[in-house]
Amino acid sequence: MGSRLALDDGVYVRDSVQTAAKILVVGHFAVGKTTFIGTMSEIPPLRTEEVMTQASAGIDDLRAVPGKTTTTVAMDFGRLTLSERLVLYLFGTPGQQRFVQVWEDMTRGALGALILVDPQRLEESFAIMDLVEHYGIPYAIAVNRFDGTPEHSLDEIREALDLLPETPVINCDARDEKSSADSLITLVRYLQSRLN
Ligand SMILES: Nc1nc2c(ncn2[C@@H]2O[C@H](COP(=O)(O)OP(=O)(O)O)[C@@H](O)[C@H]2O)c(=O)[nH]1
Ligand SMILES: [Mg+2]
């Protein structure tokens, strides 16, 4: 009965699932983390956003995103059953420096990270990459191209971010289910290849 329910409404994890992996979805302010987890999660995503306060003045640069009035203070959370046997728990983690304690907690037990980058604001991704590397978490780069963004090739982005040759770099539209799923699959394959 339980498994029938699970397949019917997707609320419960299927009986066949053997592995649950904790994956971080990280990136600088307004790069698309909440959108990505909202697109991918099969359960209603948990969001903790609040109207930006004085604390974020000067840290969250709103000039690049007019109309954005909230910022994620803690995290987004979602779940995705990737195959019969593998379920991913997605944790969207803010990059702002004032959330260092959140990072300490979030990185514990994380298998890998998907780092979302905006090609127009690449320099803002360095601090995030430093944090992920500091915690020793393997990662893939998902290039979230916002409308009107000039085309940079993935090789140009790889060079600008000074990535290792094996680090996966993929295009990703966080609003699109297939595109977002492809980037997660790329990350999971990379993580698996490191285990072999
Ligand atoms: N064009 C485009 N806009 C996006 C994409 N992903 C997110 N957005 C928009 O960018 C803004 C910031 O996204 P959000 O998910 O809140 O960013 P977060 O701060 O990283 O959680 C929102 O208005 C989204 O609708 C994308 O892939 N392409
Ligand atoms: Mg957010």
Side-chain angles (χ1 to χ4, degrees):
M1 233 0 221
S3 62
R4 205 176 70 82
L5 255 185
L7 286 171
D8 282 352
D9 60 19
V11 170
Y12 300 104
V13 172
R14 292 180 203 175
D15 291 346
S16 58
V17 167
Q18 294 174 347
T19 309
K22 177 179 181 181
I23 299 290
L24 305 183
V25 176
V26 301
H28 61 67
F29 177 65
V31 76
K33 300 178 292 292
T34 300
T35 305
F36 186 94
I37 290 180
T39 300
M40 280 288 83
S41 186
E42 63 206 8
I43 53 171
L46 204 72
R47 289 177 185 160
T48 48
E49 300 228 2
E50 73 170 20
V51 175
M52 279 186 287
T53 60
Q54 283 291 346
S56 53
I59 300 173
D60 296 331
D61 190 349
L62 281 177
R63 282 167 306 186
V65 257
K68 183 157 163 98
T69 54
T70 61
T71 188
T72 309
V73 289
M75 59 171 225
D76 302 288
F77 174 72
R79 193 192 79 206
L80 173 67
T81 306
L82 203 60
S83 72
E84 284 283 300
R85 289 188 295 178
L86 175 65
V87 67
L88 303 183
Y89 288 98
L90 305 174
F91 290 76
T93 313
Q96 291 90 333
Q97 274 307 310
R98 66 185 184 281
F99 298 128
V100 167
Q101 185 56 49
V102 176
W103 270 78
E104 290 281 334
D105 297 336
M106 298 284 282
T107 50
R108 211 164 294 138
L111 239 64
L114 191 67
I115 304 183
L116 302 184
V117 305
D118 174 352
Q120 279 185 309
R121 295 187 287 154
L122 278 187
E123 66 289 349
E124 291 181 43
S125 296
F126 287 119
I128 307 286
M129 292 173 59
D130 283 350
L131 267 172
V132 172
E133 286 174 8
H134 170 79
Y135 288 102
I137 300 170
Y139 60 88
I141 301 287
V143 181
N144 201 358
R145 296 183 192 273
F146 286 76
D147 302 329
T149 302
E151 286 286 318
H152 296 278
S153 74
L154 292 181
D155 281 342
E156 284 171 315
I157 291 170
R158 173 184 292 286
E159 196 168 324
L161 292 177
D162 197 18
L163 301 176
L164 294 173
E166 63 265 29
T167 303
V169 186
I170 46 231
N171 284 311
C172 169
D173 185 330
R175 300 162 304 176
D176 182 79
E177 197 174 334
K178 174 159 191 325
S179 174
S180 299
D182 283 348
S183 57
L184 276 177
I185 291 166
T186 301
L187 171 64
V188 168
R189 289 218 172 106
Y190 174 57
L191 298 176
Q192 282 170 339
S193 75
R194 290 168 45 96
L195 296 173
N196 294 335

